[in-house]
Amino acid sequence: MATHPEQAPTAETTFEGGAPQAKKAKIMTEENGINDRRHKHHLNINGTLVKGFEDQTFTEICKAPIHSIQGLAEWTENVGEKLGLRSISDLGNWKYFKWASAMVTLAEREVEGKRVGGSKMNVNKGLIKEHEEKCFKNILKLRPSALQGLGKHCDKELAAFHIYTIEDLGTWRYAKWASAITVCAGLETKNVDDHK
C-alpha cells in the first residue's frame, strides 16, 4: 500500500475553535482595535492616566488637566490652579518640583560634615535667606515655602496633596509622572510611522 507523507498543517487547514487559526488571529486583532501591519508599537502609560486619555499622544496629554493622572481627583484642579498647575505640562515642568527633586537626589550623595574648606557651592537662589547655610539633609525637612518664590500660603495648598516638606515635593510621584510625560513628548514624532 502506497504511503503518503503527512501533510504539514497550514494556517488555513489548522482549525481551533471552529475557525482557521490565521482567520481567528485576524478576528482577535480586529476585535481589539489593532491592525498588526500598521501599528507595531506596544508602549503605553495606561497605569498613569484615567480612562479617556489612554489613546492620546504624549503631546496631547501634556495639555490635559492634572486630574487626568490616576490618583488626582477632579477637586485637585482647583487647588492646582492656585499653584499655577493647570495642565500636566505645568506640573511636569514646575520649577519648585524640579528644585526639590534635585535636592532629594543630591542629598543621597552628601557626606555629613565633610564640606571642603573654602567651597563656594550653594543653592541660594532656591532658598529663602534663613535656610541658605543648611545641608541638603536638613533642607529636605523644611516646609515647601522655604523654597524661594513659594509663599507660605502654598504650604496649605500642597498639604492637600499630602506634601508637607521639600522632600515630599521632590518625591511627589504625580509630578514625576508628569515630568516623564513632558520629556517623552519631546521624543514623539507627529506620525507614529515616522522615524527621525
Side-chain angles (χ1 to χ4, degrees):
M1 179 181 295
T3 59
H4 300 282
E6 184 176 342
Q7 183 178 359
T10 66
E12 291 300 318
T13 59
T14 304
F15 286 77
E16 186 177 308
Q21 197 166 1
K23 289 184 179 179
K24 185 173 182 180
K26 183 179 180 182
I27 292 169
M28 289 175 65
T29 56
E30 288 176 350
E31 286 176 350
N32 293 330
I34 301 169
N35 183 325
D36 285 338
R37 289 176 297 177
R38 295 181 60 190
H39 302 291
K40 297 179 181 178
H41 289 65
H42 297 284
L43 66 81
N44 69 79
I45 55 170
N46 294 356
T48 306
L49 303 170
V50 298
K51 299 290 184 183
F53 293 91
E54 296 171 344
D55 64 341
Q56 296 190 13
T57 65
F58 285 116
T59 303
E60 292 168 335
I61 294 167
C62 281
K63 299 173 185 176
I66 62 172
H67 70 257
S68 307
I69 294 178
Q70 280 189 28
L72 291 180
E74 287 192 26
W75 65 263
T76 62
E77 189 171 348
N78 292 329
V79 180
E81 181 82 22
K82 295 175 183 177
L83 295 167
L85 306 176
R86 300 173 183 83
S87 68
I88 289 178
S89 178
D90 290 337
L91 178 56
N93 290 313
W94 200 34
K95 66 179 181 180
Y96 300 111
F97 162 69
K98 288 187 172 184
W99 293 357
S101 179
M103 292 176 190
V104 167
T105 298
L106 294 178
E108 296 174 357
R109 307 306 303 163
E110 187 173 59
V111 180
E112 189 175 355
K114 295 295 183 180
R115 182 180 173 98
V116 176
S119 173
K120 296 182 179 180
M121 182 183 293
N122 68 83
V123 289
N124 292 355
K125 290 182 179 180
L127 297 169
I128 59 176
K129 190 171 180 60
E130 65 185 277
H131 300 301
E132 289 176 355
E133 297 180 359
K134 289 183 169 66
C135 65
F136 276 130
K137 288 182 173 65
N138 288 335
I139 289 170
L140 297 186
K141 299 174 185 176
L142 301 172
R143 292 182 180 274
S145 58
L147 295 173
Q148 195 169 128
L150 272 185
K152 289 189 176 181
H153 70 279
C154 294
D155 289 334
K156 179 182 177 182
E157 312 302 345
L158 286 168
F161 294 105
H162 304 290
I163 294 171
Y164 305 103
T165 65
I166 289 176
E167 183 172 17
D168 292 338
L169 178 57
T171 56
W172 192 15
R173 64 177 175 177
Y174 303 121
K176 290 172 76 173
W177 295 350
S179 179
I181 289 169
T182 60
V183 170
C184 288
L187 304 176
E188 190 170 58
T189 56
K190 189 172 182 181
N191 188 322
V192 72
D193 294 320
D194 289 345
H195 178 76
K196 294 184 179 180

